[in-house]
Amino acid sequence: MTGAVRAEAALSRALAKSAQRGRSAESLTDHLAATLTAAGELAARVGRITVVEGAVGRSFWPAVRWAAVSHDAGKVADGFQKMITGRAPTWGQRHEVLSLGFLPLLIDDEALRRWVAFGVLTHHRALVPSADGTGKLSIGQLYGHGGLPLADFRARIGAVDPAIVAELHRWLAATAATAGLPVAAGPSAAAGPQLPDLDVVAAAHTLLDETLRYWEEQGWAGVDHDLTAILLQGAVTLADHLSSAHGTLHGDQPIGPALAARLVGEFTAAGRQLHRHQRQAGDVSGHLLLRAPTGTGKTEASLLWAAAQVADLAPAVGGVPRVFYTLPYLASINAMARRLGALLGDDDLIGVSHSRAASYHLAAAICAEDEPADGIRDDDERRVAAARKAVSRAAATRLFRETVRVSTPYQLLRGALAGPVHAGIVLDSANSVFILDELHAYEPVRLGYIVASAQLWERLGGRVAVLSATLPTALAELFGAAMRAPVHRVSAEPGCVPQRHRIGVRNRALTSPDAVDEMRDRLAAGEAVLVVANNVAQAQQLYDELSSDARRRHEGDGGADAAILLHSRFRRGDRSRIERRIINRYGTRAAAAVGRRRGGLVVATQVVEVSLDVDFDVLFTSAAPLEALLQRFGRVNRLGARPPADVIVHPAAYGPRRGDRSGRDYADGVYPREPVEAGWRILCGHDGQPVDEVQAGGWLDEVYATAWGQAWRADVERERRRFHDEFLSFAEPYADRSPLADRFDELFDGTEAVLQEDLGDYESALQLADHKAAGRLLADDFLIPMPAYAARLARLDRKLGVRIVDGEYDDEYGLTKVNAVEGERYRLGEVF
């Protein structure tokens, strides 16, 4: 409560928060003081934001702190106090509107007062409705867009105790002055009973009218006013959430010069030298494009780069830059979080930010070797205790606690929704460092959105690195053209990694009898065989044909784990257990643990491409885009300790998708035909040859030089412009943006469903913990992923808040059938 002033007796009885489970009621002044403190912590961590200076000069953080200390002042209304103490069922008015009434006698500067008013008014609701008029009622709609007569306004607000108003006004003035904020001279700063009565309701009515008129008449044509408005809203709402959760922010950045020195020291102690591309990345000041094969220290190179950017930015902005490491898949995010935690020596320094972050923390808590057992009587109690802990950790990350975060790009892109819920993401992006790992160039829609977001991060003072083992020159040129500052390109040099793979091309389908016989021969030889199909139906078919051969061959050597099937249509809990089984048998460290390599079979879909650190003897795969194939190759002879291993590629089958009226053909119903065919032609020209992974970048350039590649480039640019115009222009920053959320979720998020047969177990898990969020986390183990457009195959149970699918499921094979719902029909092998 730094800077807070002791409240007088009557004021001290005013509450901001009612008593909650395990937490007593919170006084209004305590909450306002805590929010002011949180705003100060944010200011210290984010630092000076250059982009706002054209709009508010150096008054941005004073405006944030003024809004923080006054945002809930309107809760002194009798109606609110009766509601929060249970003496009345509801008040029905917006406390933030009444809060405005305290500002005129506290802040002389008209421009500063206007920005503070916007921050106060919009920390819960939009100021004006969305363009289509949907969403919650806005402040303007609730109060007649400022045209509500004072008498009517006064009647709606109800009684307000003038004695408490006077005490709160004195407290606000004294607290703000102690915190170093500019306070108006005059009666607001006076102490004692001589302060004249303040008609806070009339003052609120006048300032509300002025603020809404300014919005309508002035617009947001000023330089960077649009983004400043979003940043202000994000700072106030985030400070409010931090104080409400009694949370604190990490104030140090562990990725910096000390980490860089330690990485170099560890290499030297191990008798190794940094690769040239690692040293070059660490010398870059600014944006980076890094192309380096798996196994050449790409992650270390990116951390050396990030450490250099932190060292540049911190003194320049006077803050603590955050470092965001993004990856496209949840499993690879979880693995990177563990890796960074080990590197930094403390898992608590790493925030995990994705849609299943609580599940990650639950798995970590349950599997921890040092999990305390005192007082835990059974496994259910242990799981419940771990779930509570996991929910708490995930909530802390959602409050932006850690300065190092691992996430999907789409969690950061949610800042585009802005508003009270998401504007904090935009604020947290200012003066930050972004590492975008393994972008998929062949997905032009999502790539366009990420490039548009990178432009915003640069505008906010950030630095961006794009790294990939498969980075086509076309993507490098597109990214470079989008950024204002120069983008430095660094590539691994030829020969920095041994030749690990030898291409084998077959002119028969992956599921053909001859192909299956070849797989059987490799299994009979005791090899570790990886088979990757492009869709679930083919994966299940191949597993059915081969699993018994693998188990017979390894009957005395963990036969049950000698054959494993992995795809995306497993229950979440089953998927986690399957991945652990694969890592335990085929992980890069597994052979060292048992003193030998173990053979067997894994049949998988695309989920294996970047999510698992595994090492196989041979790969059989259907043709796919070249980037995806190179990722699949990386699961074989991963450490390069053996001669080049066979990666055998079979042709895909082409045809239209059911319901797709575009006339386009897809490889196995999944990938666009053109890039798959282009890659196939290249591989046919290198049949039987070892792969130089650095030179394979030239193969990608051939694909993107085709007519399809030219169309791809136009598609990416079109989607970049569309995302900017629809989501990132912020032309009316305080308008209701909630209607955009559904469109955003359709683009990025899938859904999940529980099997009808699992519904009883799902409900039991929900009741296992008295903590609602912990119970839902435990129940999530029964959910099966589905894309958003497949939701029509399930029914929504509104009471439980979950979709239910009538299907057939096997613990070994996953989802095998989905029964019809309202005439819909699903065939395995379709894009689902």
Side-chain angles (χ1 to χ4, degrees):
M1 275 187 217
T2 304
V5 175
R6 182 181 178 85
E8 295 190 31
L11 177 58
S12 66
R13 293 192 293 272
L15 298 180
K17 308 284 182 182
S18 58
Q20 299 175 4
R21 181 190 304 151
R23 183 176 297 170
S24 59
E26 184 176 17
S27 76
L28 178 57
T29 53
D30 282 351
H31 176 63
L32 294 177
T35 308
L36 175 60
T37 298
E41 290 180 3
L42 281 174
R45 194 163 82 159
V46 175
R48 182 172 64 88
I49 308 175
T50 304
V51 74
V52 307
E53 293 180 358
V56 295
R58 295 296 179 93
S59 295
F60 176 79
W61 286 113
V64 169
R65 295 171 74 200
W66 258 124
V69 76
S70 61
H71 74 291
D72 277 357
K75 288 183 176 181
V76 295
D78 287 4
F80 182 88
Q81 292 300 312
K82 288 178 180 178
M83 178 186 69
I84 202 171
T85 54
R87 291 175 289 152
T90 185
W91 179 37
Q93 301 303 312
R94 302 305 310 174
H95 65 268
E96 53 265 47
V97 171
L98 183 58
S99 298
L100 295 182
F102 290 87
L103 301 182
L105 290 183
L106 290 170
I107 305 171
D108 276 336
D109 186 296
E110 182 181 2
L112 176 61
R113 184 168 63 244
R114 184 184 304 121
W115 282 107
V116 174
F118 280 126
V120 168
L121 275 176
T122 64
H123 76 275
H124 284 306
R125 286 199 180 220
L127 190 66
V128 294
S130 62
D132 62 7
T134 61
K136 289 182 178 180
L137 288 174
S138 67
I139 295 292
Q141 288 172 303
L142 287 169
Y143 293 94
H145 292 280
L148 187 68
L150 175 59
D152 294 342
F153 182 78
R154 193 183 297 278
R156 288 177 57 178
I157 295 297
V160 185
D161 186 337
I164 295 180
V165 167
E167 288 181 16
L168 179 56
H169 217 283
R170 281 192 291 267
W171 182 91
L172 288 169
T175 300
T178 302
L181 292 173
V183 181
S188 66
Q194 69 269 29
L195 178 69
D197 288 346
L198 168 67
D199 188 347
V200 71
V201 177
H205 181 265
T206 299
L207 187 52
L208 174 64
D209 179 63
E210 291 175 358
T211 304
L212 286 167
R213 269 195 291 108
Y214 180 84
W215 169 276
E216 294 169 356
E217 295 173 8
Q218 299 297 321
W220 294 88
V223 176
D224 294 323
H225 277 59
D226 53 353
L227 192 51
T228 300
I230 296 297
L231 291 167
L232 175 70
Q233 184 182 46
V236 176
T237 56
L238 183 50
D240 185 25
H241 294 162
L242 281 167
S243 64
S244 296
H246 301 277
T248 58
L249 298 173
H250 288 181
D252 297 316
Q253 177 50 263
I255 295 178
L259 175 65
R262 190 163 83 245
L263 282 174
V264 173
E266 289 176 358
F267 269 69
T268 302
R272 300 161 56 197
Q273 290 186 337
L274 292 176
H275 290 299
R276 185 185 68 178
H277 64 269
Q278 292 175 314
R279 294 194 304 271
Q280 290 177 332
D283 290 338
V284 166
S285 176
H287 307 311
L288 171 70
L289 280 165
L290 173 64
R291 179 162 57 190
T294 302
T296 60
K298 181 159 50 73
T299 300
E300 288 80 5
S302 70
L303 293 177
L304 291 170
W305 170 83
Q309 309 322 302
V310 168
D312 279 354
L313 287 172
V317 303
V320 182
R322 278 74 63 220
V323 175
F324 297 90
Y325 199 114
T326 77
L327 285 153
Y329 297 109
L330 301 191
S332 51
I333 289 168
N334 297 345
M336 181 57 69
R338 289 189 292 269
R339 184 176 179 184
L340 288 177
L343 186 64
L344 299 175
D346 187 350
D347 287 342
D348 284 343
L349 295 175
I350 311 299
V352 178
S353 179
H354 56 64
S355 59
R356 300 293 169 255
S359 296
Y360 163 79
H361 292 302
L362 176 61
I366 289 177
C367 296
E369 294 180 356
D370 59 348
E371 185 71 25
D374 292 347
I376 302 298
R377 293 189 296 272
D378 57 36
D379 188 61
D380 278 351
E381 284 197 17
R382 187 167 68 93
R383 285 178 58 79
V384 169
R388 291 195 187 107
K389 179 179 177 182
V391 168
S392 178
R393 272 298 304 274
T397 294
R398 283 197 298 273
L399 287 172
F400 311 99
R401 179 184 68 171
E402 299 92 349
T403 57
V404 180
R405 259 163 276 157
V406 189
S407 76
T408 63
Y410 316 119
Q411 293 300 113
L412 295 176
L413 265 60
R414 293 195 75 84
L417 298 175
V421 177
H422 299 102
I425 299 174
V426 184
L427 184 279
D428 197 46
S429 300
N431 301 327
S432 290
V433 177
F434 302 86
I435 301 171
L436 309 180
D437 198 357
E438 300 301 352
L439 292 188
H440 287 290
Y442 56 85
E443 295 181 342
V445 176
R446 297 186 182 191
L447 180 60
Y449 298 168
I450 291 172
V451 172
S453 297
Q455 292 179 300
L456 173 64
W457 300 331
E458 180 186 47
R459 187 180 171 196
L460 289 168
R463 306 270 179 93
V464 183
V466 174
L467 30 147
S468 178
T470 57
L471 184 68
T473 300
L475 173 55
E477 292 174 348
L478 189 150
F479 187 78
M483 307 302 279
R484 297 177 181 177
V487 177
H488 304 268
R489 297 191 199 181
V490 174
S491 296
E493 57 186 332
C496 70
V497 63
Q499 292 181 334
R500 299 182 292 180
H501 312 123
R502 181 174 56 246
I503 295 172
V505 173
R506 303 290 187 266
N507 290 311
R508 52 182 180 258
L510 185 68
T511 54
S512 68
D514 288 345
V516 172
D517 286 342
E518 187 176 6
M519 297 172 199
R520 285 197 176 103
D521 290 341
R522 304 299 284 255
L523 287 169
E527 294 186 58
V529 178
L530 174 62
V531 181
V532 182
N534 286 337
N535 62 52
V536 174
Q538 291 179 353
Q540 290 175 334
Q541 176 188 340
L542 288 163
Y543 179 77
D544 194 47
E545 295 191 53
L546 292 166
S547 56
S548 57
D549 297 270
R551 290 200 175 100
R552 278 195 302 270
R553 174 63 177 79
H554 299 280
E555 189 172 358
D557 181 23
D561 286 343
I564 301 175
L565 175 65
L566 175 65
H567 55 72
S568 59
R569 304 298 168 228
F570 280 98
R571 298 183 189 108
R572 194 191 297 177
D574 290 344
R575 164 89 176 259
S576 297
R577 287 185 284 274
I578 290 168
E579 289 182 348
R580 286 198 296 270
R581 289 169 58 202
I582 293 173
I583 289 292
N584 289 341
R585 189 175 182 96
Y586 305 104
T588 54
R589 299 178 184 178
V594 299
R596 60 183 174 83
R597 294 182 53 74
R598 302 170 76 181
L601 170 73
V602 170
V603 180
T605 56
Q606 300 90 329
V607 298
V608 79
E609 287 176 11
V610 295
S611 61
L612 298 175
D613 183 14
V614 289
D615 191 7
F616 290 85
D617 293 312
V618 61
L619 167 71
F620 294 88
T621 179
S622 290
L626 203 50
E627 295 99 317
L629 288 179
L630 291 171
Q631 293 287 359
R632 296 177 193 183
F633 293 176
R635 310 305 114 187
V636 176
N637 195 12
R638 189 165 177 81
L639 302 180
R642 308 186 298 283
D646 290 329
V647 289
I648 298 169
V649 185
H650 295 259
Y654 299 102
R657 289 175 176 167
R658 181 164 69 97
D660 186 342
R661 299 179 181 177
S662 68
R664 301 183 65 181
D665 282 347
Y666 294 85
D668 296 325
V670 178
Y671 302 107
R673 177 172 189 154
E674 296 86 352
V676 176
E677 282 193 327
W680 172 257
R681 288 192 296 269
I682 291 170
L683 294 178
C684 288
H686 293 82
D687 187 19
Q689 300 176 13
V691 179
D692 184 322
E693 295 177 60
V694 174
Q695 293 180 347
W699 300 354
L700 291 172
D701 291 343
E702 289 183 46
V703 172
Y704 286 89
T706 63
W708 171 85
Q710 297 302 313
W712 165 88
R713 191 175 201 133
D715 288 345
V716 175
E717 179 58 23
R718 182 185 66 250
E719 297 302 334
R720 181 199 65 77
R721 289 195 303 268
R722 183 161 77 95
F723 194 68
H724 174 271
D725 293 345
E726 293 185 12
F727 288 91
L728 299 181
S729 65
F730 304 127
E732 291 194 349
Y734 293 139
D736 183 9
R737 295 172 65 85
S738 59
L740 293 175
D742 289 340
R743 282 165 44 206
F744 186 94
D745 289 342
E746 288 173 3
L747 293 169
F748 295 116
D749 289 345
T751 185
E752 291 176 306
V754 63
L755 288 166
Q756 179 68 46
E757 66 183 66
D758 289 337
L759 192 56
D761 291 334
Y762 180 85
E763 290 186 88
S764 296
L766 286 175
Q767 303 302 320
L768 195 59
D770 57 0
H771 189 291
K772 184 178 179 180
R776 184 162 292 281
L777 179 56
L778 295 173
D780 283 353
D781 268 358
F782 294 97
L783 295 176
I784 299 175
M786 300 169 64
Y789 61 78
R792 64 182 184 272
L793 300 171
R795 65 180 177 85
L796 177 62
D797 187 316
R798 297 188 181 278
K799 180 179 178 182
L800 293 176
V802 69
R803 296 186 185 277
I804 301 169
V805 64
D806 180 16
E808 296 179 9
Y809 185 91
D810 182 274
D811 291 347
E812 187 176 358
Y813 284 80
L815 187 65
T816 59
K817 182 181 180 182
V818 177
N819 297 320
V821 175
E822 297 177 356
E824 291 289 350
R825 185 164 55 91
Y826 168 63
R827 294 190 297 265
L828 283 172
E830 293 182 310
V831 177
F832 171 60

